[in-house]
Amino acid sequence: MSVNELFKQDLKVINMGLESFYEELRSQDVDTIHVDWKPAAGGDKKMASLLGRLKGL
Amino acid sequence: MIQSIVRKNAYYDSVTLMLISREMKSIEGVEEVLVGMGTELNLDLVRNLKMFDANLEDVTPNDLFIAAKFNDELVTMEQLVNSFDEQINRKKEASAGDYRPPTLRSAIDHLGGANLVQISIPGQYAAEEAETALKAGLHVMMFSDNVSIKDELRLKQVAVEKGLLMMGPDCGTAIINGVPLCFANVVSKGRIGLVGASGTGTQEITVRIDQLGEGLSQVIGTGGRDLREEIGGLMMIQGIEALLKDPETDVIVLVSKPPHPTVEKKIVDLVKQADKPVVIDFIGGDAASIIAAGATPCVSLEDAARKAVALLRGEKVEDFDGFDAPEEEIEKLVSDAASTLAADQKYLRALYTGGTLADEAIKYLGENYPIYSNIPLTPDRALANLGGLEGHICLDLGEDEFTRGRPHPMIDPLTRTEFFKTHVDGSTAVVLVDVVIGYGSHEDPAGAVAESVNAARERLLAENKDLVVVASVTGTDKDPQDLAQSITTLERAGIIVMPSNAQAVRLVGRIMDKIGA
């Protein structure tokens, strides 16, 4: 969807990270969902990068 | 006593944890407490606070830890852990019932028709998630920083190829289809579109447009590095092109620090072809190329708002470098302020939470006064070169050096409260502050400033001295904190509230001239 098409739609937001941003969107009745995000591979960078490469396959 | 506990595989976001840490610090008997995820940065902080113990040796970034230094006659570790649980459960209860998918992909499936992903996870993970979003055809607003410039370029290239917005990394402000994202104000819908590479600069322009009775069609953020040579202004160009095509936008405003010359040329070339009026504030940048492109340059953020409104209304466009109030009123304000100061009160303390607002103050006041800062005009004016407090100081308290392990001062006023205590003394003449309200910001920043000012005045009373305090509020009457309420709170504390940052800065300049600072 191009930027100009986005301008014509209702905003539907996926929030990842700070929960306060999600709560503020919700308080404005914006259609939104919060991802229960956790670092991949328990924060192990090496493992996360391997997983990232696998996902890219 | 020093103790710590670790909870394996329990993830909470940094702002939530930092705010809880702060609450726990106020428990009687607690000397220091840090609640965080086991990242290198957090563990460094624990070591610096001398609270590292054997428990923390195997902690990973996916584990939560609580480390505390406390008087065990007054409080126990168990009580501290209970306090943490109570606070986190309260948060959970507030959002009970919402389904929270574990990954971005499952969120895309679940929400259906999602069109934008807002990302504020730690920087090292942010690029990968943004790429997933863009490849799924979603626009991205990325608040996360610490993303490499290489990743930023790659993400923006993908976005341009797919015709999407990649706002950020390090993008704090946008308003898309009337919805404020991250740190933004509630402004009227209108016919002025804006593309901004600077967060509080964008906020200041949008609120002044709102106050002048007009509104915004779209406000697109780019992140602060977009106009660097490496990125080439990819998102600013994408934003300008979208606003040129947008039938709801009649006037376009661009705001950024001065771009790299090659990037400036690209933007100016695009603006030359524009069939809509364009107002450009390359803060402190050269006006010549802007004029040559047929666009309108500005002398301040407020001036950008006024010119955009004038162009929209077909009114005469002229520089605004004065005050809303008549000259006699300003002169009286200046004289009254100066008369409250003792002869040895000479120095400025500008304590800003908004980086672009601080930048605007330094650029204006720095023309006539040596202003020491963490974002100095020239390297010799770096704060470290001042040593003590005998000089004019203007700080951007949102910079990394002041925010390690604590929220940005727009979210939590604590950093500025501390600077009021350490940097405002009997040699201080004028204190200059910004009060940024709107979504993302603290629930009552004006109240926190008022409290700090009252406490500082009480301290100075012992020396039989007073202070002059000048503020401006970046906000609208539709913001959750309410503009009028914020102004009343400040004025009740004897703070002079000006209608914009530019006017607050100019008034401070006049007071400094008057007292021969």
Side-chain angles (χ1 to χ4, degrees):
Chain A
M1 178 204 321
S2 75
V3 182
N4 291 88
E5 282 166 48
L6 173 72
F7 290 168
K8 289 185 224 149
Q9 298 193 341
D10 280 339
L11 210 59
K12 278 193 167 193
V13 184
I14 297 172
N15 186 61
M16 307 184 74
L18 303 183
E19 226 178 304
S20 50
F21 288 153
Y22 164 70
E23 281 157 14
E24 293 195 328
L25 286 172
R26 239 175 37 139
S27 75
Q28 299 171 75
D29 293 325
V30 175
D31 206 354
T32 180
I33 195 166
H34 182 71
V35 178
D36 191 16
W37 182 87
K38 289 182 172 63
D44 181 332
K45 265 192 212 162
K46 225 175 176 178
M47 192 56 83
S49 111
L50 279 174
L51 277 176
R53 261 186 266 162
L54 276 176
K55 271 193 249 168
L57 286 177
Chain B
M1 164 168 285
I2 290 169
Q3 244 180 309
S4 71
I5 64 124
V6 174
R7 282 194 186 157
K8 286 283 182 197
N9 298 313
Y11 185 82
Y12 301 97
D13 78 63
S14 57
V15 170
T16 299
L17 295 181
M18 287 188 273
L19 294 173
I20 291 180
S21 293
R22 228 196 115 179
E23 283 293 312
M24 289 171 70
K25 248 188 227 180
S26 60
I27 297 172
E28 202 189 351
V30 173
E31 202 179 309
E32 191 58 73
V33 63
L34 192 69
V35 186
M37 301 305 298
T39 60
E40 268 314 303
L41 174 78
N42 282 336
L43 294 175
D44 274 353
L45 284 170
V46 177
R47 283 188 198 99
N48 287 343
L49 293 165
K50 308 221 177 326
M51 297 193 299
F52 196 88
D53 68 7
N55 264 342
L56 297 173
E57 261 158 26
D58 299 324
V59 75
T60 76
N62 209 21
D63 306 330
L64 171 90
F65 71 85
I66 303 174
K69 197 187 285 182
F70 55 93
N71 179 344
D72 58 359
E73 284 171 18
L74 295 170
V75 70
T76 65
M77 191 66 189
E78 199 189 339
Q79 282 171 315
L80 293 181
V81 173
N82 287 343
S83 155
F84 171 80
D85 284 335
E86 264 170 42
Q87 290 188 64
I88 213 81
N89 287 337
R90 226 178 292 146
K91 282 201 150 286
K92 275 188 194 156
E93 274 164 27
S95 57
D98 299 0
Y99 172 61
R100 297 184 164 200
T103 64
L104 176 55
R105 283 181 195 283
S106 50
I108 294 170
D109 291 342
H110 190 81
L111 187 60
N115 42 28
L116 188 137
V117 182
Q118 187 168 268
I119 301 176
S120 55
I121 58 175
Q124 73 258 42
Y125 307 103
E128 192 188 329
E129 301 287 359
E131 194 163 349
T132 304
L134 293 170
K135 287 189 172 160
L138 300 175
H139 301 270
V140 174
M141 163 88 176
M142 189 191 277
F143 179 67
S144 312
D145 59 0
N146 293 318
V147 173
S148 74
I149 196 129
K150 210 175 109 206
D151 281 342
E152 176 169 351
L153 178 62
R154 185 170 49 85
L155 292 171
K156 285 184 170 171
Q157 283 168 337
V158 173
V160 169
E161 201 181 295
K162 293 184 152 273
L164 297 167
L165 290 174
M166 175 64 224
M167 299 186 279
D170 204 10
C171 179
T173 304
I175 305 173
I176 302 295
N177 303 348
V179 178
L181 298 173
C182 298
F183 292 84
N185 302 87
V186 186
V187 298
S188 300
K189 185 96 184 132
R191 306 200 61 85
I192 299 170
L194 185 149
V195 191
S198 82
T200 46
T202 298
Q203 286 190 267
E204 176 76 0
I205 296 175
T206 57
V207 306
R208 301 306 156 217
I209 288 172
D210 183 272
Q211 280 165 23
L212 291 164
E214 298 296 342
L216 280 299
S217 54
Q218 303 289 346
V219 176
I220 298 168
T222 67
R225 297 188 302 206
D226 192 66
L227 302 183
R228 283 210 200 162
E229 189 179 18
E230 300 95 312
I231 307 294
L234 284 177
M235 238 351 88
M236 184 159 278
I237 290 167
Q238 178 98 323
I240 297 169
E241 284 173 346
L243 293 179
L244 285 172
K245 275 189 253 164
D246 178 30
E248 307 292 318
T249 299
D250 292 336
V251 175
I252 298 172
V253 180
L254 308 179
V255 57
S256 157
K257 285 184 181 166
H260 186 273
T262 57
V263 183
E264 182 171 347
K265 187 171 180 314
K266 273 194 226 169
I267 289 168
V268 162
D269 285 348
L270 177 60
V271 165
K272 251 185 224 166
Q273 312 299 324
D275 56 0
K276 296 178 183 181
V278 182
V279 177
I280 302 180
D281 192 4
F282 288 150
I283 306 154
D286 180 28
S289 65
I290 297 173
I291 295 168
T296 308
C298 309
V299 297
S300 71
L301 298 163
E302 177 186 26
D303 188 46
R306 294 177 82 109
K307 282 173 174 159
V309 168
L311 284 164
L312 183 69
R313 292 175 176 167
E315 293 169 359
K316 197 171 166 212
V317 176
E318 45 195 357
D319 287 351
F320 178 76
D321 53 8
F323 297 94
D324 284 340
E327 177 52 33
E328 312 82 75
E329 224 172 275
I330 296 297
E331 189 44 47
K332 186 169 179 323
L333 259 181
V334 172
S335 305
D336 288 353
S339 69
T340 63
L341 298 169
D344 60 347
Q345 288 183 279
K346 291 282 174 215
Y347 300 122
L348 167 72
R349 297 288 177 262
L351 303 176
Y352 275 94
T353 60
T356 313
L357 302 173
D359 196 46
E360 186 168 74
I362 294 173
K363 281 182 176 147
Y364 182 81
L365 296 170
E367 281 181 19
N368 294 318
Y369 293 96
I371 308 284
Y372 290 86
S373 178
N374 60 324
I375 49 164
L377 277 185
T378 51
D380 58 316
R381 300 288 185 230
L383 187 64
N385 292 338
L386 181 63
L389 293 176
E390 308 242 309
H392 305 302
I393 296 174
C394 178
L395 298 177
D396 170 8
L397 298 172
E399 279 288 309
D400 290 351
E401 66 216 90
F402 301 126
T403 55
R404 265 178 73 101
R406 55 169 60 177
H408 189 283
M410 270 162 60
I411 301 176
D412 180 349
L414 178 68
T415 305
R416 181 153 66 186
T417 305
E418 288 176 358
F419 269 85
F420 259 96
K421 287 180 191 153
T422 54
H423 282 63
V424 175
D425 68 355
S427 71
T428 306
V430 188
V431 179
L432 169 62
V433 293
D434 60 338
V435 174
V436 183
I437 60 174
Y439 282 104
S441 284
H442 184 257
E443 60 190 18
D444 184 20
V449 166
E451 242 175 68
S452 288
V453 168
N454 288 339
R457 285 209 165 107
E458 214 162 285
R459 266 191 291 125
L460 291 180
L461 207 59
E463 298 176 46
N464 221 356
K465 283 176 176 169
D466 197 358
L467 268 180
V468 175
V469 187
V470 180
S472 68
V473 185
T474 301
T476 74
D477 52 5
K478 298 172 278 291
D479 281 326
Q481 301 91 336
D482 193 79
L483 175 67
Q485 181 57 47
S486 299
I487 293 174
T488 306
T489 303
L490 295 168
E491 286 182 340
R492 277 199 190 133
I495 297 167
I496 303 170
V497 184
M498 297 302 284
S500 68
N501 185 54
Q503 293 189 49
V505 170
R506 262 180 231 127
L507 182 77
V508 165
R510 290 274 293 267
I511 297 170
M512 288 167 73
D513 293 346
K514 184 87 176 178
I515 61 172

